[in-house]
């Protein structure tokens, strides 16, 4: 029996959004869970943005991440090395890594490329849980995380748009989104 790694990222942005190529990760949150969604371990760290070091007022309000949080943080390359160190202890048991939607995967691909970083995750399958949940629930369109939780009879716990809290809430939908084992 393996584990799933649920990842959520927070990134620089402004009202109206920015393309992934303009965004930079400012927080990494990950929850290592069983197939049933029970947390085994977790990781969280802030990341100091390089291109646009000043967070916009919109970004600070959305994420509840302060300028001081990112100013005191390591750059992406160092933060990712910390993450990989944590993840390395769990790597042999990992089935896949999961995110709500495809944004987190695309953002990581961008940052790995920009910083010339290799990751354990590059060797593992990625699951877009937003798509899996929509398929499992026969939804015409994929739902946002909060709406999906409500459809599942659950309430969001913690602060929305914080990486670890979003990852933990995504993990709660994992058992409802994966095919039943043995089928």
């Amino acid at each position: 029996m393996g584990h799933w790694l649920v990842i959520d990222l927070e990134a620089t942005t402004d009202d109206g959004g920015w393309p992934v190529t303009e965004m930079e990760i400012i927080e990494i949150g990950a929850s290592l869970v069983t197939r049933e969604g029970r947390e085994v371990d977790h990781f969280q760290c802030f990341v100091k943005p390089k291109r646009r070091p000043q967070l916009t007022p919109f970004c600070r309000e959305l994420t509840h991440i302060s300028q001081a949080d990112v100013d005191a943080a390591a750059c992406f390359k160092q933060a990712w090395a910390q993450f990989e160190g944590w993840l390395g202890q769990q790597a042999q048991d990992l089935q896949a890594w999961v995110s709500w939607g495809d944004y987190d995967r695309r953002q990581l691909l961008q940052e790995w490329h920009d910083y010339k970083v290799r990751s354990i995750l590059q060797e593992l399958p990625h699951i877009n849980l937003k798509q899996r949940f929509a398929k499992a629930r026969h939804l015409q369109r994929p739902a946002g995380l909060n709406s999906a939780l409500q459809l599942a009879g659950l309430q969001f716990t913690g602060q929305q748009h914080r990486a670890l809290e979003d990852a933990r809430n995504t993990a709660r939908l994992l058992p409802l989104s994966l095919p039943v084992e043995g089928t």
Side-chain angles (χ1 to χ4, degrees):
M1 182 172 105
H3 295 125
W4 278 258
L5 181 71
V6 182
I7 291 184
D8 187 79
L9 307 171
E10 298 305 326
T12 56
T13 191
D14 204 356
D15 198 9
W18 290 341
V20 168
T21 54
E22 294 297 312
M23 298 169 80
E24 291 177 273
I25 295 169
I26 57 172
E27 186 181 27
I28 301 166
S31 180
L32 185 69
V33 297
T34 64
R35 191 177 204 294
E36 296 76 34
R38 184 182 59 78
E39 187 173 83
V40 175
D41 202 357
H42 66 272
F43 178 91
Q44 183 278 334
C45 76
F46 294 113
V47 180
K48 186 176 197 163
K50 183 176 164 183
R51 288 192 307 270
R52 295 184 185 176
Q54 283 299 123
L55 299 182
T56 64
F58 175 83
C59 184
R60 289 193 314 269
E61 187 175 317
L62 176 71
T63 63
H64 299 275
I65 295 172
S66 72
Q67 188 65 48
D69 290 332
V70 296
D71 285 348
C75 71
F76 176 78
K77 198 168 192 169
Q78 293 168 327
W80 196 256
Q82 291 172 12
F83 174 80
E84 289 278 327
W86 169 79
L87 184 59
Q89 302 164 29
Q90 331 284 345
Q92 72 280 1
D93 291 330
L94 281 178
Q95 299 295 307
W97 65 286
V98 178
S99 63
W100 191 259
D102 202 41
Y103 158 75
D104 302 274
R105 183 188 68 80
R106 290 186 359 251
Q107 188 68 48
L108 282 172
L109 288 172
Q110 175 74 38
E111 304 245 359
W112 291 336
H113 175 267
D114 290 352
Y115 288 93
K116 296 170 182 44
V117 168
R118 296 281 310 148
S119 176
I120 296 168
L121 301 184
Q122 291 168 307
E123 311 302 320
L124 290 168
H126 172 260
I127 297 173
N128 178 335
L129 206 63
K130 187 177 190 176
Q131 293 292 342
R132 288 275 181 101
F133 182 84
K135 186 177 178 184
R137 290 288 172 128
H138 308 289
L139 303 177
Q140 289 187 324
R141 290 192 342 246
L145 180 56
N146 217 358
S147 297
L149 287 163
Q150 289 173 4
L151 285 169
L154 302 169
Q155 292 290 319
F156 191 98
T157 57
Q159 179 70 56
Q160 290 184 48
H161 302 294
R162 287 302 304 269
L164 181 56
E165 300 302 329
D166 285 357
R168 285 175 165 160
N169 280 282
T170 298
R172 296 167 66 204
L173 296 170
L174 186 71
L176 306 174
S177 306
L178 294 176
V180 176
E181 282 187 301
T183 61

